[in-house]
Amino acid sequence: MTLPTDLDNDADALRAAMVKGLAGADPSAGAGVPMHPAWLAAAGKVPRHAFVPGFYLPADAPGAQGLTVWEPVTSELDYGRWLAAAYSDATLITQFDGEETDWERPAVRHGGAPTSSSTLPSLVLRMWSDADVSEGHTVLEIGTGAGYSTALACERLGSSHVTSVEVDPVRLRTAADALYGCGYTPTLARADGLYGYWPEAWFDRIVAACSFRSVPPALLRQTRPGGKVLLPLSGWLYGNARVLLTVAGDGTAEGPLLPGSISFMPARTHAAPAYGNPADWAAGLHEVRSRSVRHAPERITVATEEAFHLRFLAQSAVPDAQMVTVGGVLHLIDVVSGAVATLAPEGGAWEVREGGPLKLWSLIEQVIDAFDAAGRPGPETYTLRVDGKGQRLLPAHGLRLQLPRGY
């Protein structure tokens, strides 16, 4: 691609404006600790546009069948839109469904699942700030992605202190080209972040740019005693949380959930499995007697911070369940146990039918009951403890909430 001769001047001005906006953002609108000035300084030096030569932005209106229309953006297609987006506080999608785009001849996409992106700068800076990183620390980043976050760590800590792993070889090669082109030389490796990266261990900090169903044990074993691991957590109900764990010398770890409702793409090895046709699952419930629900599904489905947090807690009670709505009927499907539940609106209320070895919605209602009885506590009131007994959320308000066993 041919870039304009005044690119550097245009980028400098837009980057300065972006950093000024990030520095002036309301701290109460974010999560965790305030953004560290050193990370803002790094953002003022790293040319984000070098890491996103092409990406997708959603069109203003959906396409056929309500699918999102994703428009390709490059400097050649629309220089102004490309550069403005590169220095906006927005996530830029760079890959769908694990398929690479030919950015010399990109095409409009209809729907698809994003599988790689350049995360919005405010969230990247928030993650590095929340991880309590200081000069002299060695860090492992899980999920190199486009490489922008890696560049920020190199800018602040020095390339020799940064290791970043990426499972996708094409993504890694593209990020490496951009990093080396900007003068950054971290240790890069194609590896599954589930297992960290033993050749460079131990680390003072491990920070993941993808989410896990539970804390991978290898990450704790690769962290120095007293070191910290910042992980996004998610699951098959798409309930999300973030935890900052401090690792003890005996290999146990403990730390608080952080406030806010931030979400990340799941690690590919932790992604939800296909469940088939919901109608097949529901077919066996026609003879099951329904009951009125104590809590409507909106408690965990509406777009509020409390619902996102409550969904994460509910997910801990039914970790193998997935949720899909078809024709106004909500299906809960557990491909591991074979349990299923359907919730359907009946005369202004909701009725539930449950089948299989687990009563999925009943278990979720127990979590909601305990949550309400405890005064609806926020995520920062919970601690995750990882030890020989598993990965437990404390306090569980009378319930035993545990993440799936580490992988």
Side-chain angles (χ1 to χ4, degrees):
M1 298 181 181
T2 303
L3 298 177
T5 56
D6 57 353
L7 170 60
D8 289 341
N9 290 334
D10 292 343
D12 288 347
L14 288 171
R15 184 164 59 253
M18 180 189 75
V19 173
K20 183 178 180 180
L22 295 174
D26 179 5
S28 65
V33 300
M35 285 187 197
H36 197 289
W39 290 115
L40 289 168
K45 297 177 181 178
V46 175
R48 190 187 186 205
H49 68 272
F51 297 89
V52 285
F55 49 84
Y56 289 94
L57 292 177
D60 293 334
Q65 301 177 327
L67 295 175
T68 301
V69 177
W70 294 97
E71 299 174 339
V73 180
T74 68
S75 63
E76 289 192 350
L77 290 173
D78 189 333
Y79 171 74
R81 188 186 189 195
W82 167 73
L83 196 59
Y87 289 105
S88 66
D89 190 29
T91 293
L92 306 176
I93 306 300
T94 55
Q95 185 192 73
F96 285 90
D97 302 318
E99 302 171 356
E100 290 299 324
T101 296
D102 179 359
W103 290 109
E104 296 294 335
R105 292 175 293 276
V108 172
R109 294 188 61 102
H110 295 266
T115 48
S116 191
S117 67
S118 177
T119 303
L120 67 161
S122 62
L123 180 49
V124 174
L125 297 179
R126 171 67 55 207
M127 290 290 286
W128 284 124
S129 294
D130 285 346
D132 190 25
V133 178
S134 297
E135 282 73 11
H137 280 164
T138 56
V139 302
L140 169 64
E141 177 191 43
I142 297 173
T144 313
Y148 176 66
S149 175
T150 317
L152 291 172
C154 292
E155 183 65 44
R156 181 175 178 193
L157 302 174
S159 296
S160 64
H161 285 65
V162 179
T163 299
S164 185
V165 297
E166 169 63 49
V167 72
D168 187 315
V170 178
R171 291 286 90 206
L172 183 63
R173 184 166 59 250
T174 302
D177 289 344
L179 286 161
Y180 298 154
C182 292
Y184 302 116
T185 57
T187 297
L188 299 175
R190 183 194 175 195
D192 188 334
L194 190 67
Y195 306 103
Y197 196 61
W198 280 106
E200 296 293 315
W202 290 349
F203 301 99
D204 297 298
R205 297 291 185 270
I206 296 179
V207 177
C210 58
S211 63
F212 294 93
R213 294 183 72 204
S214 58
V215 180
L219 302 187
L220 302 184
R221 292 197 292 268
Q222 292 175 33
T223 304
R224 297 182 192 278
K228 298 183 180 181
V229 178
L230 179 60
L231 286 181
L233 299 170
S234 69
W236 296 349
L237 284 185
Y238 296 101
N240 297 284
R242 290 188 308 147
V243 65
L244 180 62
L245 296 167
T246 299
V247 180
D250 61 0
T252 63
E254 187 171 311
L257 299 188
L258 300 181
S261 55
I262 294 168
S263 64
F264 281 80
M265 295 178 189
R268 296 187 186 184
T269 45
H270 278 199
Y275 49 73
N277 185 349
D280 294 340
W281 287 86
L285 294 179
H286 293 312
E287 303 302 321
V288 176
R289 184 174 180 178
S290 68
R291 67 168 176 85
S292 297
V293 301
R294 295 200 309 278
H295 299 287
E298 288 86 357
R299 288 297 303 274
I300 64 171
T301 60
V302 296
T304 65
E305 286 206 4
E306 181 181 277
F308 293 145
H309 168 51
L310 188 50
R311 190 186 305 186
F312 175 75
L313 299 178
Q315 177 180 272
S316 300
V318 289
D320 300 320
Q322 298 180 64
M323 181 169 56
V324 62
T325 300
V326 180
V329 177
L330 185 147
H331 298 72
L332 288 168
I333 297 168
D334 186 329
V335 300
V336 176
S337 71
V340 62
T342 61
L343 286 82
E346 298 284 349
W350 287 87
E351 295 284 317
V352 61
R353 288 182 169 87
E354 299 172 295
L358 300 174
K359 304 302 183 186
L360 297 176
W361 190 249
S362 296
L363 290 170
I364 290 175
E365 286 186 317
Q366 291 177 23
V367 174
I368 299 174
D369 288 341
F371 178 74
D372 290 345
R376 300 186 173 188
E380 64 278 5
T381 66
Y382 292 83
T383 294
L384 179 64
R385 177 164 180 80
V386 182
D387 56 25
K389 298 179 181 178
Q391 303 188 15
R392 295 164 290 149
L393 284 173
L394 307 170
H397 308 298
L399 298 174
R400 187 172 181 266
L401 295 183
Q402 188 157 321
L403 304 189
R405 274 285 175 182
Y407 292 74

